Amino acid sequence: MKELFLGLRLLLSSGRGNRVRFTLMSVGGSIAVCCLAVVLTIPGILAAQDARVAARQPVVPRDGSHKPVFSGFPLSLERTDPYGAKPLTRIFLARGTKDVESPPGLSSFPAAGQFFVSPRLHEMLRSQPGLAQRFPGREAGLIGPQGLARPSELVAYVGMPRGELSDGIPVKRFGRGEAPEPTVEPATLGILRFTMVGVVLVPLAVFLSVCARLSAAERARRLAALRLLGMSAREVRRVNAVETVAAASLGALLGLGEYWLLNQFLSRVGLPGFTWYPSDGALSGSTLGACLLGCPALAWFVGRVSARKAAVNPLAVRRAAPENPPSVWGMVPLLAGAGVAAGYCVAGATGHAPSDTGASALLIPSMIVLIGIGLVTMLPRLCRSFSGRVARSTRSLALGLAMRRNEAEPGGALRVAAGLVLLVFAASLAQGVLIELDQVSKNTASIQMYDMPDQGLTATKRGALEHMRGIRAHLVTAPTHVGDDWRDWSPAVVLATCAELRKAVPWVGKCVDGRPLRLYDPTQVQDGSFKAGGKLRITLADGHRTMEITAPRRTLPYRDQVGMPVLSSGMILLPPSALPEGLRPSDGTLSLISASDSDTVRAVLDRIAHIVPTAAVIPQGLNVTALQQIAVVKALLALGMVLGAVIGVAAYVVAATDRAVERRSQVTALALLGARPRTLRAVQVAQVVLPLALGLLLAVTLGKMAESSYLVTGGGAVFWDGAGLPLLLAGAVGVVAVAALGSLPLVGRRIDPELIRRD
């Protein structure tokens, strides 16, 4: 207990410099805790959003044989369409005779001709009137927050007559155990976790260690004096732990307050592509425990390690004995991580890229952590060796003084450069994640196709769809079968005239209307082969009648669209007049084709929804759910990069300021010996820039190796990102320039001999 009181007394009564150091430690710790809280609350935010989506999912009533019971229950039908790169969810509801609680966020079921919209959709309907075509009826109100995953979600509940929801499902109640599609898929969430470990958590641990070791030399001399006055080694370590734990605990409390303010601000402003409610970001018990207990525990551990020399050999500390060279064991984590990265790079270069197995899921994050830790632990040894070589060979006074100081005190270079080195390493990892996300399939062709069931469309609605403004071509495709056996492969048929076919594809050979033709594109892989002259059957709309056609011998060459094939080579072109009058294929698909620019796609989807509100429309090549997930991941990744930059810069500022304060007596002595201010500033810049440049070179090299290893296991088409290297090198040069400029003001103009007298 006496160590606790002594530590508190030394903390509060050791002069202004000690109080400033304590404040700096607390403020630095608060920044770290705030960043840690942000990272730890991201899974909770995503889980809260998924829970609200699950709460609005309908539960189907079933009888004893598990068949749906429709009698008296309301009907529900959900359609999700793209609106730009965002999903727009329309939930059609029809009332029933039985009383069912309304969906979350609504006070009652919408009546036929009414619709309720989310606040963001309400704003868009005012600014973009064409969007109203997707919602038959009039707006009756807004959906409450409990019915929305996030404030920016585009959702509408649309009331419909019961007769128009033939495809709907009965609803007993709303609320399921899990959302049908999570905000972020588990595999994508794994990518996010992996990135946050490398971008935020590893630099965060280094930053907390830097804050816990502020004024390490002065504190070591004070602890050595206590040891020489008769305190035991254990008691000395406890006294040192009091200050570090007190600073970390105060920093943890301040950091949680900073996080609360940040959550309130960002949840109302939102990130590009991602928003959340303030309650979603509330701190959980595990997060509070990690911040209030984990950070002080780390500070206690660092404090014990830093006080070891003063406790074991106090005379060496008081007499400023030379430091022992850094241990060679510090290189082990880096070599282990680099070995794993090299193995993956060699596997990718030799064409033996491993699949994304459980082993890779464990090895890749472990590799990142090992390299991150290794960059920190090996920097002192590398700095000492490099500085000694330069000092022995240089004739420059400034460079010689700087290198001798780094050689004698390599730990100082570690504290100053570690944060910025990890920042560049993390930037390379984030670049690799962005490359993998950009490989997600999306439509880059010049056309956009919209597929919907042809069955159930009246002639009037079909004609309105085919002649909409913006539609350049339309086709109907239908499957065929051989006799009564549906297992054998058979070519599909295309119901179109030659003129319609020419509008759909860039080039068509000599086409003759009124007769079946086999389509052939030599650039496509043939799905299968079917003997010419064989009999094929098409099931008609009533489900009982079939029509029989003969596979044609004559082929029709054509060339399909690049990037989005409209047809498959081997299909049979069948004139629409060949169908019995008034009948259509039962499993036919109507395909509309338009230009692929976003304005045209949005307008076409608006018009389709106006003509057939409840139709299931599939825009080919446009996976809006995946794009929404990518937008969320990119927003969170950008947040992680900002946090990483804040941590890296804060670590540099705190360590550089502390280093300058510690070296005041040495700078004063050199000034009294006649060193010019220009020479002292050159020494200060060289002390920081050279070890930093060495660490950044390693960070860029190993970062590219780690990035390539991640891409090799990602299963994408890109393994080696040479295009991103110039940007990464430019960022590293910028970091060196900022560090050099930041070092200049740390040499004061006024000489204070009192610093030497006290020393």
Side-chain angles (χ1 to χ4, degrees), residues 96 117 146 185 191 218 279-280 294 309 405 415 417 436 450 461 463 528 569 673 740:
V117 295
Q146 62 270 32
E185 291 288 345
I191 296 174
E218 182 180 343
S279 58
D280 295 344
K309 183 177 180 180
R405 170 51 55 187
R415 285 185 288 155
E436 186 182 26
Y450 314 86
K461 290 184 177 180
S569 183
L673 289 173

Short mmCIF file of all heavy atoms in Angstrom, two decimals, residues 96 117 146 185 191 218 279-280 294 309 405 415 417 436 450 461 463 528 569 673 740:
data_model
loop_
_atom_site.label_atom_id
_atom_site.label_comp_id
_atom_site.label_asym_id
_atom_site.label_seq_id
_atom_site.Cartn_x
_atom_site.Cartn_y
_atom_site.Cartn_z
N GLY A 96 -56.01 -8.72 -44.24
CA GLY A 96 -56.85 -9.91 -44.17
C GLY A 96 -57.93 -9.73 -43.12
O GLY A 96 -58.06 -8.67 -42.48
N VAL A 117 -43.18 5.34 -46.21
CA VAL A 117 -41.81 5.33 -46.70
C VAL A 117 -40.85 5.71 -45.57
O VAL A 117 -41.24 6.32 -44.57
CB VAL A 117 -41.62 6.30 -47.88
CG1 VAL A 117 -42.43 5.86 -49.08
CG2 VAL A 117 -41.99 7.73 -47.48
N GLN A 146 -37.56 1.89 -35.58
CA GLN A 146 -37.53 0.47 -35.23
C GLN A 146 -37.82 -0.44 -36.42
O GLN A 146 -37.60 -1.66 -36.35
CB GLN A 146 -38.52 0.17 -34.10
CG GLN A 146 -39.97 0.46 -34.44
CD GLN A 146 -40.38 1.88 -34.09
OE1 GLN A 146 -39.56 2.80 -34.15
NE2 GLN A 146 -41.63 2.05 -33.71
N GLU A 185 -21.88 -9.76 -45.16
CA GLU A 185 -21.77 -11.21 -45.15
C GLU A 185 -20.60 -11.65 -44.25
O GLU A 185 -19.63 -10.92 -44.09
CB GLU A 185 -21.52 -11.72 -46.56
CG GLU A 185 -22.71 -11.57 -47.50
CD GLU A 185 -23.84 -12.53 -47.16
OE1 GLU A 185 -23.59 -13.49 -46.40
OE2 GLU A 185 -24.95 -12.32 -47.65
N ILE A 191 -13.01 -10.11 -43.81
CA ILE A 191 -12.08 -9.17 -44.45
C ILE A 191 -11.95 -7.90 -43.62
O ILE A 191 -10.85 -7.37 -43.40
CB ILE A 191 -12.56 -8.84 -45.87
CG1 ILE A 191 -12.54 -10.09 -46.75
CG2 ILE A 191 -11.72 -7.74 -46.50
CD1 ILE A 191 -13.13 -9.87 -48.14
N GLU A 218 14.12 10.01 -17.73
CA GLU A 218 13.97 10.74 -16.47
C GLU A 218 13.30 9.88 -15.41
O GLU A 218 13.69 9.87 -14.25
CB GLU A 218 13.14 12.00 -16.72
CG GLU A 218 12.96 12.86 -15.47
CD GLU A 218 12.14 14.10 -15.77
OE1 GLU A 218 12.00 14.44 -16.96
OE2 GLU A 218 11.63 14.71 -14.81
N SER A 279 -28.05 4.86 -30.81
CA SER A 279 -28.17 3.74 -29.87
C SER A 279 -27.42 2.50 -30.35
O SER A 279 -27.02 1.66 -29.53
CB SER A 279 -29.65 3.40 -29.67
OG SER A 279 -30.27 3.07 -30.91
N ASP A 280 -27.25 2.37 -31.68
CA ASP A 280 -26.51 1.20 -32.19
C ASP A 280 -25.06 1.23 -31.72
O ASP A 280 -24.44 0.16 -31.56
CB ASP A 280 -26.54 1.17 -33.72
CG ASP A 280 -27.95 0.97 -34.26
OD1 ASP A 280 -28.82 0.57 -33.48
OD2 ASP A 280 -28.17 1.23 -35.46
N GLY A 294 -8.40 -3.41 -20.02
CA GLY A 294 -7.33 -3.83 -20.92
C GLY A 294 -6.24 -2.79 -21.07
O GLY A 294 -5.04 -3.11 -21.02
N LYS A 309 15.30 -2.15 -15.67
CA LYS A 309 16.71 -1.79 -15.57
C LYS A 309 16.99 -0.97 -14.33
O LYS A 309 18.00 -1.20 -13.63
CB LYS A 309 17.12 -1.02 -16.82
CG LYS A 309 18.61 -0.67 -16.85
CD LYS A 309 19.00 0.03 -18.13
CE LYS A 309 20.48 0.38 -18.14
NZ LYS A 309 20.87 1.07 -19.39
N ARG A 405 24.10 9.45 -31.49
CA ARG A 405 23.00 9.47 -30.53
C ARG A 405 22.04 8.30 -30.77
O ARG A 405 21.61 7.62 -29.84
CB ARG A 405 22.24 10.80 -30.64
CG ARG A 405 20.94 10.87 -29.86
CD ARG A 405 21.05 10.45 -28.41
NE ARG A 405 22.08 11.19 -27.70
CZ ARG A 405 22.46 10.93 -26.46
NH1 ARG A 405 21.94 9.90 -25.83
NH2 ARG A 405 23.39 11.64 -25.88
N ARG A 415 10.54 4.77 -30.59
CA ARG A 415 9.34 5.48 -30.15
C ARG A 415 8.87 6.50 -31.17
O ARG A 415 7.68 6.70 -31.38
CB ARG A 415 9.60 6.16 -28.81
CG ARG A 415 9.63 5.20 -27.63
CD ARG A 415 9.77 5.96 -26.34
NE ARG A 415 11.10 6.52 -26.18
CZ ARG A 415 11.39 7.59 -25.44
NH1 ARG A 415 10.43 8.22 -24.80
NH2 ARG A 415 12.62 8.03 -25.33
N ALA A 417 9.60 6.62 -34.59
CA ALA A 417 9.31 6.15 -35.95
C ALA A 417 8.26 5.05 -36.01
O ALA A 417 7.66 4.83 -37.06
CB ALA A 417 10.60 5.63 -36.60
N GLU A 436 -9.36 -6.20 -53.79
CA GLU A 436 -10.23 -7.38 -53.80
C GLU A 436 -11.69 -6.98 -53.90
O GLU A 436 -12.48 -7.61 -54.60
CB GLU A 436 -10.00 -8.22 -52.56
CG GLU A 436 -10.79 -9.52 -52.62
CD GLU A 436 -10.61 -10.36 -51.38
OE1 GLU A 436 -10.32 -9.80 -50.33
OE2 GLU A 436 -10.78 -11.58 -51.48
N TYR A 450 -32.96 -6.60 -68.25
CA TYR A 450 -33.92 -6.73 -67.16
C TYR A 450 -34.76 -7.97 -67.44
O TYR A 450 -35.51 -8.01 -68.43
CB TYR A 450 -34.83 -5.50 -67.06
CG TYR A 450 -34.09 -4.18 -67.15
CD1 TYR A 450 -33.81 -3.62 -68.41
CD2 TYR A 450 -33.68 -3.50 -66.03
CE1 TYR A 450 -33.14 -2.42 -68.52
CE2 TYR A 450 -33.01 -2.29 -66.13
CZ TYR A 450 -32.73 -1.76 -67.38
OH TYR A 450 -32.06 -0.57 -67.49
N LYS A 461 -49.99 -5.15 -70.84
CA LYS A 461 -48.81 -4.84 -70.03
C LYS A 461 -47.53 -5.23 -70.75
O LYS A 461 -46.52 -4.52 -70.68
CB LYS A 461 -48.90 -5.55 -68.68
CG LYS A 461 -49.98 -4.99 -67.76
CD LYS A 461 -49.96 -5.67 -66.41
CE LYS A 461 -50.98 -5.04 -65.47
NZ LYS A 461 -50.98 -5.69 -64.14
N GLY A 463 -47.03 -5.31 -73.97
CA GLY A 463 -46.78 -4.30 -75.00
C GLY A 463 -46.26 -3.00 -74.42
O GLY A 463 -45.36 -2.37 -75.00
N GLY A 528 -24.03 -27.35 -74.86
CA GLY A 528 -24.24 -28.77 -75.09
C GLY A 528 -24.58 -28.98 -76.56
O GLY A 528 -24.59 -28.06 -77.37
N SER A 569 -25.02 -19.40 -77.31
CA SER A 569 -24.84 -20.10 -78.58
C SER A 569 -25.45 -21.49 -78.49
O SER A 569 -25.22 -22.22 -77.52
CB SER A 569 -23.35 -20.20 -78.91
OG SER A 569 -23.16 -20.80 -80.16
N LEU A 673 28.89 24.52 -26.09
CA LEU A 673 30.18 24.16 -26.66
C LEU A 673 30.41 24.82 -28.02
O LEU A 673 31.49 24.65 -28.60
CB LEU A 673 30.28 22.64 -26.81
CG LEU A 673 30.42 21.86 -25.49
CD1 LEU A 673 30.34 20.36 -25.76
CD2 LEU A 673 31.73 22.20 -24.81
N ALA A 740 10.28 15.34 -40.99
CA ALA A 740 11.42 16.27 -41.00
C ALA A 740 10.98 17.68 -40.61
O ALA A 740 11.63 18.36 -39.80
CB ALA A 740 12.07 16.27 -42.38
#
